[in-house]
């Protein structure tokens, strides 16, 4: 049976752990020159309606390093822009390629593609979720910290797509997640309620960034205005002023705490230059790990036997 990755809810806790371990192993094998080209003659199709540096290049590089190929389309270069139904697009692409990675606005669009494609569909970011980002961030945390046991992550800023994926991950893996968000910018109730009902983690929402970081192992932030919210950027700069990761907030966290950011970063807004370039920041190792996580994910979805 094909497996899609539309949100982290599509995976069990044990599958998440296996994917992270597989990514760590593939990273090691790649560095030793012993990684097998397990995706030879396989093709990844990418359909992106929003800009991307990391997600696109890490997916494409992962595919090439595993011996496969990629076909990249923007929505506007395809007939989707001329109203060809997603259901038709999905059924046609499934006859040409082995898996599809999609970056778009409405989450229901990736659900629609997945419903009609007979091949795996991977969410490369929607307005609501960014699962591949958070799964590869868990690889970074496991690598830097040694394990994911008794983890406490503090999210500072907007309750956005990346925050939603953190909530899903906390629910699945059972770690503590504190989110400090300004009023009106909390994560969606539906996502939080799902975590409360189905999850094994603890999700706390507060207005106070200092409270969120006080016992955190990881401080995490993202842009104040996500793609598609450019018109609100000025207003958001005022609303989110007190939700910046800076030296003063870092001083309120335990001395071992790491700083992560999914990037791209807006220095001087959600994070200062000092913290971004400082010794606690692992943002570029974090970006690098996107590559190894995509390798593990592509290998898993394409080479599954059942
Ligand atoms: N973090 C991330 O998804 O970056 P891109 O938008 O560059 O893909
Ligand atoms: N929340 C951001 C993440 C970018 C990787 C956005 O959606 O623009």
């Amino acid at each position: 049976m094909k497996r899609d990755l539309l949100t982290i809810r599509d995976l069990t806790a044990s599958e998440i752990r296996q994917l992270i371990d597989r990514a760590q192993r593939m990273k090691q094998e790649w560095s030793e020159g012993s990684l097998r080209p397990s995706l030879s003659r396989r093709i990844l199709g990418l359909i992106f309606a929003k800009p991307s540096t990391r997600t696109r290049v890490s997916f494409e590089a992962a595919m090439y390093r595993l011996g496969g190929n990629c076909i990249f389309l923007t929505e506007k270069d395809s007939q989707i822009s001329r109203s060809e139904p997603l259901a038709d697009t999905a059924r046609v692409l499934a006859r040409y390629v082995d898996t599809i990675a999609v970056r778009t606005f409405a989450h229901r669009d990736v659900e629609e593609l997945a419903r009609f494609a007979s091949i795996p569909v991977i969410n490369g970011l929607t307005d609501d979720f960014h699962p591949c980002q958070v799964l590869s961030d868990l690889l970074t945390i496991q690598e830097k910290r040694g394990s994911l046991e008794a983890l406490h992550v503090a999210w500072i800023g907007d309750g956005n797509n990346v925050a939603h994926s953190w909530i899903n991950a906390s629910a699945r893996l059972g770690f503590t997640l504190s989110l400090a968000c300004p009023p009106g910018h909390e994560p969606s109730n539906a996502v939080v309620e799902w975590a409360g009902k189905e999850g094994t983690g603890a999700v706390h929402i507060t207005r106070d960034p200092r409270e969120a970081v006080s016992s955190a192992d990881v401080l995490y932030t993202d842009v104040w205005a996500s793609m598609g919210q450019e018109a609100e950027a000025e207003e958001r700069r005022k609303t989110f002023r007190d939700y910046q990761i800076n030296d003063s907030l870092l001083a309120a966290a335990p001395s071992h705490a790491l700083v992560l950011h999914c990037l791209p970063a807006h220095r001087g807004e959600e994070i200062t230059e000092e913290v971004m370039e400082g010794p606690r920041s692992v943002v570029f190792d974090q970006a690098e790990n996107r590559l190894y996580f995509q390798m593990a994910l592509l290998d898993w979805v394409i080479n599954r036997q059942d």
Side-chain angles (χ1 to χ4, degrees):
M1 194 188 71
K2 71 143 176 168
R3 292 293 297 274
D4 301 310
L5 176 57
L6 307 188
T7 78
I8 290 175
R9 299 174 202 176
D10 293 329
L11 302 172
T12 64
S14 132
E15 286 169 340
I16 294 172
R17 291 202 184 88
Q18 282 171 32
L19 275 172
I20 293 169
D21 291 346
R22 178 190 294 236
Q24 212 166 348
R25 242 185 357 260
M26 290 176 100
K27 181 174 183 176
Q28 179 69 27
E29 287 169 8
W30 175 258
S31 77
E32 290 164 355
S34 62
L35 188 65
R36 261 187 342 106
S38 58
L39 295 177
S40 160
R41 304 179 68 179
R42 302 304 198 118
I43 302 175
L44 165 69
L46 301 106
I47 311 174
F48 277 40
K50 291 176 175 173
S52 171
T53 298
R54 281 145 288 269
T55 306
R56 174 181 175 178
V57 178
S58 61
F59 266 119
E60 293 196 13
M63 204 63 200
Y64 289 124
R65 286 185 182 195
L66 290 173
N69 288 286
C70 304
I71 297 172
F72 180 85
L73 272 181
T74 64
E75 262 187 25
K76 72 178 176 347
D77 299 322
S78 75
Q79 297 287 5
I80 297 172
S81 65
R82 296 179 62 251
S83 305
E84 181 168 18
L86 291 173
D88 295 358
T89 306
R91 284 175 290 179
V92 171
L93 291 181
R95 292 173 186 230
Y96 302 145
V97 302
D98 297 280
T99 183
I100 312 174
V102 186
R103 169 167 287 199
T104 194
F105 293 86
H107 189 72
R108 64 174 176 279
D109 287 353
V110 291
E111 292 175 336
E112 176 91 346
L113 283 164
R115 188 157 49 247
F116 285 93
S118 54
I119 55 170
V121 173
I122 298 169
N123 176 1
L125 180 146
T126 61
D127 288 347
D128 294 338
F129 298 102
H130 195 5
C132 299
Q133 176 71 52
V134 169
L135 292 166
S136 91
D137 296 340
L138 288 165
L139 163 65
T140 303
I141 295 169
Q142 174 164 298
E143 208 176 61
K144 301 282 176 195
R145 193 171 166 265
S147 95
L148 299 175
E149 290 312 304
L151 175 66
H152 184 170
V153 175
W155 174 273
I156 309 300
D158 191 19
N160 63 15
N161 43 7
V162 181
H164 288 164
S165 289
W166 272 109
I167 294 171
N168 288 341
S170 152
R172 274 289 182 258
L173 293 183
F175 60 82
T176 303
L177 176 66
S178 303
L179 301 108
C181 311
H185 296 279
E186 299 86 358
S188 112
N189 279 336
V191 176
V192 175
E193 278 164 21
W194 172 84
K197 266 196 242 124
E198 306 258 333
T200 55
V203 176
H204 306 289
I205 300 177
T206 170
R207 302 260 172 264
D208 181 1
R210 288 176 172 269
E211 181 193 325
V213 305
S214 64
S215 59
D217 304 301
V218 171
L219 276 55
Y220 200 114
T221 192
D222 183 13
V223 290
W224 290 340
S226 285
M227 290 180 276
Q229 298 173 329
E230 289 76 9
E232 298 169 31
E234 193 48 52
E235 189 57 36
R236 283 171 172 260
R237 272 194 274 278
K238 293 180 208 138
T239 310
F240 284 86
R241 208 177 33 214
D242 298 330
Y243 292 80
Q244 181 186 63
I245 301 191
N246 50 34
D247 283 333
S248 148
L249 188 63
L250 203 49
S255 58
H256 69 269
L258 300 171
V259 175
L260 275 74
H261 188 312
C262 55
L263 305 181
H266 291 177
R267 290 168 167 83
E269 294 189 13
E270 75 277 0
I271 191 164
T272 59
E273 169 80 9
E274 292 70 33
V275 172
M276 175 98 180
E277 301 294 345
R280 314 272 284 278
S281 161
V282 298
V283 300
F284 296 107
D285 292 343
Q286 177 189 0
E288 179 185 346
N289 277 338
R290 298 290 309 274
L291 172 67
Y292 302 105
F293 183 77
Q294 320 294 35
M295 281 186 180
L297 178 64
L298 289 166
D299 185 44
W300 184 65
V301 296
I302 295 176
N303 286 328
R304 291 174 55 78
Q305 296 303 321
D306 52 353

